[in-house]
């Protein structure tokens, strides 16, 4: 059963890696990220050349981390790297809040398109993404190892292309 949460979203910092890893192992037992992967992502999350947004959801009453998410920006493309919510909080809207935060930052990074990969058997996450307007655009075969599970690739356009990139400005 899910319980209502008043979790507060804030930037993920290095001291959050340990509690995030606990959730990571509980939610992705077969292919959990290593501590080094989080360290490496956070190394690109601050400063003028930042290309990452990592956010955690914290229960203000207990300080417990109940969710986290991360986005990488590469030129005008952004990629949802990870998103997860503690199982006891599912269905309370926290996944939507985390995704909203990532999409705001995709816009701040001036990305026109957001991509993500999701396991073909993860219908719960796919429904969340569809509600935000993500559309399936293809598959990556055997993307998730071990298990050789395919990824569904989904895409969302978050910004209209600027006039400089519109083809019609180059004709006539
Ligand atoms: C996928 C995941 C992040 C979704 O998180 P969540 O907090 O349950 O997401 P939300 O609550 O925002 O939305 C999920 C459901 O709750 C419903 N919901 C949203 N806000 C709600 C609210 N305020 N009250 C009640 N229900 C609500 C939604 O309608 C949605 O239902 P639906 O799936 O039938 O459409 C979570 O299930 C998770 O961590 N899964 C394991 C990790 C994972 O698979 N991550 C994705 C990898 S690609």
């Amino acid at each position: 059963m899910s319980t209502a949460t008043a979790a507060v979203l804030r930037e993920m910092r290095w001291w959050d890696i340990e509690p995030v890893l606990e959730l990571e192992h509980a939610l992705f037992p077969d292919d959990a990220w290593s501590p080094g992967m989080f360290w490496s992502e956070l190394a690109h999350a601050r400063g003028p050349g930042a290309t990452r947004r990592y956010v955690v959801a914290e229960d203000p009453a207990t300080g417990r981390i109940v969710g986290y998410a991360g986005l990488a920006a590469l030129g005008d493309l952004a990629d949802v790297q990870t998103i997860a919510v503690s199982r006891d909080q599912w269905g309370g809207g926290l996944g939507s809040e985390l995704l909203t935060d990532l999409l705001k930052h995709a816009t701040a990074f001036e990305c026109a398109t957001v991509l993500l990969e999701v396991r073909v058997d993860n219908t719960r996450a796919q429904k969340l993404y569809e509600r935000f307007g993500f559309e399936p655009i293809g598959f990556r075969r055997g993307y998730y190892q071990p298990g050789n599970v395919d990824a569904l690739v989904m895409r969302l356009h978050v910004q209209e292309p600027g006039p400089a990139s519109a083809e019609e400005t180059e004709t006539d």
Side-chain angles (χ1 to χ4, degrees), residues 4-131:
T5 178
V8 172
L9 267 53
R10 63 164 174 82
E11 180 188 4
M12 179 177 170
R13 299 303 310 278
W14 64 264
W15 50 83
D16 299 312
I17 291 177
E18 206 180 303
V20 160
L21 278 169
E22 268 182 44
L23 273 182
E24 174 82 8
H25 282 279
L27 294 167
F28 305 103
D30 298 332
D31 50 2
W33 281 21
S34 66
M37 289 165 84
F38 281 105
W39 277 103
S40 161
E41 288 293 289
L42 292 187
H44 297 99
R46 301 204 115 198
T51 55
R52 302 289 192 277
R53 165 67 178 177
Y54 274 75
V55 57
V56 289
E58 186 177 54
D59 181 335
T62 61
R64 181 179 159 234
I65 300 295
V66 290
Y68 58 95
L71 175 118
L74 233 175
D76 70 351
L77 275 185
D79 199 275
V80 175
Q81 305 282 79
T82 185
I83 182 165
V85 169
S86 176
R87 209 174 285 270
D88 62 328
Q89 306 281 326
W90 285 8
L94 202 45
S96 307
E97 282 187 51
L98 289 164
L99 189 53
T100 300
D101 179 281
L102 294 187
L103 296 180
K104 267 189 212 156
H105 281 80
T107 303
F109 283 129
E110 299 185 349
C111 295
T113 304
V114 180
L115 294 174
L116 60 81
E117 292 86 21
V118 55
R119 289 173 67 109
V120 286
D121 55 5
N122 192 347
T123 44
R124 183 178 183 85
Q126 286 172 31
K127 275 167 77 181
L128 171 68
Y129 302 140
E130 278 167 12
R131 268 198 286 119

